[in-house]
Amino acid sequence: TDEIMHQDIIPLYAADIQDQLKKQFAYLSGGRGGDGCPVITFPDYPSFSEIPEKEFQNVLTYLTSIP
């Protein structure tokens, strides 16, 4: 099973994860896909493999919760 999909999602606020967001390893570019869903961009980030899993989950949870 996919553990990420089965976790209880707790609402996150930008202020709660501001240090993680400042790293800009993922962000909303403002574009939309063919189905109208927002596009999350993963730019080249030199230490991407060193980002803790929880930090990665927090940022993606936050970005996907923005209407």
Side-chain angles (χ1 to χ4, degrees):
T1 61
D2 186 359
E3 293 178 24
I4 294 173
M5 297 304 290
H6 295 287
Q7 293 178 356
D8 292 330
I9 297 177
I10 300 169
L12 289 173
Y13 301 99
D16 297 335
I17 60 168
Q18 65 182 341
D19 291 335
Q20 296 167 21
L21 292 171
K22 285 180 184 177
K23 292 181 181 180
Q24 295 184 336
F25 59 83
Y27 61 89
L28 292 175
S29 61
R32 297 228 174 236
D35 59 358
C37 293
V39 174
I40 296 177
T41 302
F42 295 91
D44 188 26
Y45 188 79
S47 54
F48 190 82
S49 63
E50 297 172 14
I51 298 169
E53 185 175 342
K54 184 64 177 170
E55 197 170 299
F56 184 78
Q57 288 177 2
N58 285 344
V59 170
L60 287 187
T61 298
Y62 173 73
L63 293 176
T64 57
S65 69
I66 298 172

